[in-house]
Amino acid sequence: MQHPFPCGRINRRAFLADSGMGFTGLALGAMLHQDGIARADEPTAVPPLTKGGPGGVVGQPHDAPRAKSVIWFFMLGGTSHLESFDPKPALDQYAGKTIDESPYKGAVVDSPFYRKNVRDFAGVPRDLMPTLYPTQVAFRKRGMSGIEVSDWWPHVGGCIDDIAVIRSMWTTDNDHAAQLQFHTGRHIFDGFYPSIGSWVHYGLGSAGNNLPQFVVMGQPPGDCCGGVGTHDGSYLGPEHSGVELALDPAAPLPFGTPGNTVTVEERRSQLDLLERLNQLAGVEYPADAALRARVKAYELAFRMQMSVPEVVRLEDETAETHNLYGLNDPAAGTVARQSLVARRLVERGVRFVQIYHGGGGGGSWDAHSNLKDNHQKMCAQVDRPIAGLLKDLQRRGLLDETLVVWATEFGRTPGSERSNGRDHHPYGFSVWMAGGGLKGGLVHGATDDLGFHAVEHRHYVTDVHATLLHQLGLDPRRLAVPGQKRLDIDYGEPIHEIIG
Amino acid sequence: MKPLHRMIVLSSTYRMVSSGGHAIDRRAGGINPPIRTTRAASPAVEAASPAVEIGGLTPPARRNQHVDPDNRYLWRMNSRRMEAEIVRDSVLATSGALDISPGGPETPESEGQTVFRRSLYFRLTPNEKMKLLELFDAADPNQCYRRRESVVPQQSLALFNSGLAIDRARALAATLSAEAAASGEPGGEAGFVVTAFESVLSRAPTNEERIACERFLTEHTELLQHPTRTPFAGTGGAKRPPAPDPRQRARENLLLVLYNHNDFVTIR
């Protein structure tokens, strides 16, 4: 047998890789040094951050944070703004008439915003749905603020004084890949970019505990529409991608236990050997992101398998809490459990919890027909759990440091789709945000009288990203990696009017 | 197509190593002289030479890493992770269990841990996917998009905890120990480590790797004899019990570690 390094000496490559910066920190640490990029993760010797200057404190945000965590609800398929948070009496008044027959002729197709930015997936513009369709549900004023919310959202409506509603969102994809766009800021034609959760993970890094810091629950978008790209790290590296979590306490993670023929001690010893072997074999690949991620993934997997079952064990919670979220409600049960797990995760320091609702294919909110039945059913699945979460965070004093986002990829057309439903509508739609130092009981921005165009305080999707990054104390313009150009539109602008 | 494929795979660009831009032949036990790419590369990107190495990269490779971190100019080979089906099939093939018989009706995905046919033959529908394959980014049965190469902790759990991986590691340990005994050259723990590396990773261990593994086998055998130990919860998926002999059980556990080695799922 060949014996190149007698006396058990290690070779020079192994020595240099082992010493100094250590294995996982090697390539990245070097890149961070030379580019002065602010990013929190390994405790490398990055110089302390001075405001406006380069460098970065590990695990520290750029500015004083108002929020520590984000819980991000995303409705897949496109929730109608016209039947949720943006009432339009004109739709009832001119129901059955075409837009041209209404007094708003011209306001729609002559608007500079009409098709200005929209890039259609099929290459041909989607038909304008000209026949106005009446609002399918009643609205009422709610809370001290008197903000109108539809009757399909009674519980969220009850929390409206804690919520900032943004009625003036717009996006550029007229198909469900807008789901990807809402998370990455880019049209799917541009390709795949880091998702907002992965930017937060990249910016704030791990709090060093036993849980993944970016957790995803619910079924993600179908592959048509971005797939797991909506929680992917893209060029930030796979270690910043969201970790999918299931609700079953016996198996919250697939393959979560080797079974009782294996002991914790022998597994620990195996992991130590594995890390050593990967380290030895990885000397030649100091810049291999996948290897770095895999080394981390094994450590995290072991810690996760020990601590995750406890997080999803909801028997620890009182019956009153179960009831608050609607855990025993057959319709709301799943989202209720996800929402309660989300609270337990942020209590344990997790940075970003992303909950998909209506995943698979284009998304279940996609009410081209039977909008009334569809939205009634979908709202009943999420309304009580989301409101329960807001109330629960509030009473535990967590709402101040937890930013809750409710969003969807686009709204739905004021006109009917030649039936009892509405088509996709990227020109103007609603999302809301609550907690994390934002103002509540507030409506920001507006659509026109038909709910067609966002006309006042228009916001592209990355403004939502910028707002939550701002509250987390991160400056999007200083979140960057060498060699990856970002555009102005990627950064967005914080929505200052809703910041408390 | 065949001449084209031949031209591609025989090109010096295609044959470069993923670490530093020079061609490598591990069978010869060393690194070959640098091969400059015939493709017109960016003038800023140099062919790497293995002359002086710092931190695992040659100076030209370090410069290339800085100029072209994404390897757009193909100054090195890109590392790839095995596709889902190949991960599962390789676990079975290396442990001598893969059933390569072609054709026949599809096999229920629920039997993926116990039926050792090639992964290709298991049912894959929107609602019926084998979890093991899904975790390693198996193809979406509905659509024709590029597969992703994710690295997530659940993959680590799958390769460490699945009944398939545990059972195959235990079975392979039994085979290798029996073969060593039958050959009349037992070779001890050092011999086992070499055979284990060759069986699972298709290469011999380096000296350092061999030493680390031998130490593991010794210490792990002691650990397994220690009376107070904490079993994991649940039943798990493994069907084959661990070997009663601590020394053999340590070998099983070493093989499971090798199935989890980065090099097992990575194509360089």
Side-chain angles (χ1 to χ4, degrees):
Chain A
M1 158 116 207
Q2 204 186 2
H3 221 275
F5 303 104
C7 316
R9 283 168 56 203
I10 61 168
N11 69 34
R12 184 166 51 170
R13 276 183 294 161
F15 172 77
L16 286 164
D18 274 356
S19 58
M21 286 168 276
F23 176 66
T24 53
L26 182 64
L28 192 61
M31 284 196 291
L32 290 174
H33 272 294
Q34 69 207 29
D35 291 274
I37 296 305
R39 187 211 152 209
D41 201 354
E42 293 92 347
T44 47
V46 183
L49 182 107
T50 48
K51 199 169 169 183
V57 175
V58 164
Q60 298 294 320
H62 304 136
D63 299 303
R66 287 294 306 270
K68 290 180 182 164
S69 305
V70 175
I71 299 174
W72 173 279
F73 287 97
F74 200 81
M75 311 294 112
L76 296 160
T79 305
S80 172
H81 56 305
L82 303 169
E83 270 91 11
S84 52
F85 301 101
D86 196 4
K88 292 296 169 187
L91 292 182
D92 299 332
Q93 199 177 342
Y94 300 102
K97 291 196 164 53
T98 64
I99 293 172
D100 282 358
E101 289 161 2
S102 79
Y104 309 107
K105 180 184 179 183
V108 168
V109 292
D110 295 344
S111 161
F113 305 126
Y114 186 54
R115 289 185 176 152
K116 179 183 157 215
N117 298 318
V118 170
R119 285 189 283 167
D120 290 275
F121 185 73
V124 284
R126 277 183 106 86
D127 289 345
L128 175 68
M129 298 297 159
T131 310
L132 296 173
Y133 191 59
T135 314
Q136 296 299 297
V137 61
F139 277 76
R140 68 189 69 212
K141 291 187 191 303
R142 297 177 193 266
M144 301 288 287
S145 54
I147 294 170
E148 286 182 90
V149 177
S150 90
D151 285 352
W152 289 339
W153 295 96
H155 295 92
V156 168
C159 299
I160 200 69
D161 289 340
D162 291 321
I163 289 175
V165 179
I166 303 152
R167 286 182 176 161
S168 48
M169 298 301 302
W170 60 275
T171 187
T172 72
D173 192 333
N174 212 340
D175 217 317
H176 294 291
Q179 291 161 5
L180 180 72
Q181 184 170 18
F182 206 105
H183 293 86
T184 64
R186 290 289 189 97
H187 194 288
I188 197 168
F189 288 175
D190 291 355
F192 287 76
Y193 288 84
S195 61
I196 178 60
S198 66
W199 277 118
V200 170
H201 191 272
Y202 180 77
L204 293 177
S206 161
N209 65 23
N210 301 331
L211 295 167
Q213 293 300 297
F214 176 15
V215 172
V216 179
M217 288 182 275
Q219 192 182 354
D223 282 356
C224 58
C225 310
V228 297
T230 50
H231 59 260
D232 197 66
S234 183
Y235 63 67
L236 295 181
E239 65 267 46
H240 299 291
S241 298
V243 171
E244 293 182 33
L245 188 73
L247 291 171
D248 179 4
L253 303 166
F255 306 108
T257 173
N260 51 21
T261 63
V262 178
T263 65
V264 177
E265 291 80 3
E266 65 185 313
R267 180 51 53 85
R268 182 68 257 171
S269 149
Q270 285 178 298
L271 280 164
D272 291 343
L273 174 67
L274 178 64
E275 189 178 347
R276 180 69 189 141
L277 292 181
N278 277 333
Q279 192 176 358
L280 288 171
V283 166
E284 283 181 55
Y285 307 96
D288 185 341
L291 190 150
R292 224 168 53 220
R294 198 161 287 117
V295 169
K296 278 190 172 181
Y298 272 95
E299 266 308 311
L300 183 54
F302 181 70
R303 298 203 306 264
M304 274 166 56
Q305 109 180 5
M306 305 309 284
S307 43
V308 164
E310 187 268 329
V311 180
V312 296
R313 205 174 293 128
L314 301 179
E315 298 88 77
D316 304 352
E317 301 283 336
T318 63
E320 189 271 336
T321 303
H322 284 197
N323 192 47
L324 179 66
Y325 285 80
L327 226 67
N328 299 316
D329 177 334
T334 301
V335 183
R337 273 183 283 277
Q338 290 166 341
S339 303
L340 185 47
V341 168
R343 192 215 79 212
R344 290 165 68 90
L345 288 168
V346 300
E347 268 179 334
R348 287 157 179 77
V350 171
R351 296 291 191 183
F352 203 99
V353 182
Q354 188 160 324
I355 299 176
Y356 296 114
H357 183 247
S364 307
W365 286 84
D366 195 18
H368 292 282
S369 58
N370 298 320
L371 182 136
K372 189 170 183 171
D373 290 347
N374 171 285
H375 272 39
Q376 230 168 351
K377 186 184 85 184
M378 300 301 282
C379 288
Q381 293 172 10
V382 294
D383 176 46
R384 188 166 156 196
I386 295 176
L389 174 68
L390 290 175
K391 289 177 192 148
D392 201 18
L393 290 172
Q394 178 76 283
R395 67 183 182 180
R396 286 165 196 266
L398 289 167
L399 192 57
D400 280 346
E401 56 192 48
T402 308
L403 203 158
V404 181
V405 179
W406 176 92
T408 183
E409 72 260 34
F410 42 50
R412 307 211 73 89
T413 50
S416 86
E417 194 170 353
R418 301 175 199 93
S419 68
N420 54 354
R422 302 183 188 276
D423 198 6
H424 309 163
H425 192 72
Y427 302 102
F429 63 104
S430 304
V431 303
W432 60 255
M433 303 171 87
L438 299 180
K439 291 176 187 166
L442 170 84
V443 170
H444 174 74
T447 50
D448 58 26
D449 286 332
L450 293 179
F452 200 101
H453 290 295
V455 289
E456 209 176 275
H457 295 299
R458 290 166 53 78
H459 291 292
Y460 180 60
V461 294
T462 48
D463 292 351
V464 173
H465 302 183
T467 307
L468 71 85
L469 291 173
H470 181 270
Q471 294 309 91
L472 291 167
L474 291 169
D475 176 358
R477 287 178 193 272
R478 288 157 72 191
L479 288 174
V481 281
Q484 297 290 351
K485 285 208 169 40
R486 299 190 74 194
L487 307 179
D488 262 4
I489 201 166
D490 294 338
Y491 300 119
E493 275 298 321
I495 306 172
H496 293 288
E497 293 87 343
I498 67 169
I499 292 172
Chain B
M1 290 301 278
K2 203 160 184 177
L4 179 65
H5 285 160
R6 189 188 302 277
M7 184 193 275
I8 292 171
V9 300
L10 293 179
S11 69
S12 38
T13 302
Y14 189 85
R15 285 160 59 219
M16 285 198 282
V17 292
S18 50
S19 59
H22 43 78
I24 192 164
D25 185 352
R26 283 190 188 276
R27 284 163 306 174
I31 293 166
N32 292 349
I35 297 174
R36 191 170 287 274
T37 64
T38 48
R39 186 178 174 280
S42 156
V45 176
E46 305 173 32
S49 104
V52 183
E53 303 192 358
I54 297 168
L57 284 184
T58 60
R62 279 162 63 85
R63 272 197 295 283
N64 291 347
Q65 181 65 35
H66 178 63
V67 174
D68 179 22
D70 292 342
N71 192 30
R72 288 188 177 210
Y73 289 98
L74 301 177
W75 56 274
R76 59 173 166 82
M77 188 62 159
N78 287 317
S79 295
R80 284 170 298 144
R81 205 208 58 223
M82 283 179 185
E83 290 155 306
E85 294 84 351
I86 304 178
V87 172
R88 179 178 168 280
D89 288 1
S90 297
V91 171
L92 293 171
T94 51
S95 60
L98 186 65
D99 172 3
I100 56 166
S101 56
E106 63 182 8
T107 311
E109 77 291 346
S110 53
E111 294 171 14
Q113 302 281 308
T114 48
V115 172
F116 299 153
R117 295 205 69 196
R118 291 178 63 199
S119 306
L120 180 69
Y121 294 118
F122 285 84
R123 185 163 56 199
L124 180 64
T125 77
N127 296 322
E128 296 153 319
K129 302 175 192 169
M130 197 197 300
K131 193 72 206 172
L132 183 74
L133 299 184
E134 202 186 346
L135 284 177
F136 283 95
D137 312 295
D140 185 306
N142 260 353
Q143 293 153 329
C144 185
Y145 288 84
R146 191 168 59 180
R147 292 195 195 194
R148 303 189 69 80
E149 282 185 18
S150 68
V151 182
V152 295
Q154 290 93 323
Q155 291 166 354
S156 319
L157 292 175
L159 275 183
F160 243 137
N161 290 345
S162 66
L164 184 89
I166 294 176
D167 283 346
R168 293 327 302 159
R170 287 172 180 170
L172 179 60
T175 310
L176 296 183
S177 291
E179 280 173 7
S183 73
E185 294 175 35
E189 303 315 286
F192 182 83
V193 170
V194 173
T195 324
F197 262 73
E198 284 168 350
S199 304
V200 178
L201 302 180
S202 305
R203 66 170 173 89
T206 64
N207 197 36
E208 289 151 320
E209 286 170 334
R210 191 180 50 72
I211 291 166
C213 291
E214 281 178 54
R215 190 183 305 134
F216 169 84
L217 287 175
T218 312
E219 290 173 2
H220 205 72
T221 306
E222 283 168 28
L223 174 80
L224 290 167
Q225 284 161 329
H226 200 273
T228 52
R229 286 182 289 130
T230 329
F232 278 96
T235 50
K239 299 275 182 283
R240 202 185 158 98
D245 171 20
R247 186 162 161 266
Q248 183 62 19
R249 184 162 169 174
R251 290 180 167 196
E252 296 173 351
N253 286 346
L254 171 67
L255 284 167
L256 187 58
V257 168
L258 295 184
Y259 278 123
N260 284 275
H261 196 294
N262 184 65
D263 286 359
F264 181 70
V265 293
T266 306
I267 299 167
R268 292 294 189 190

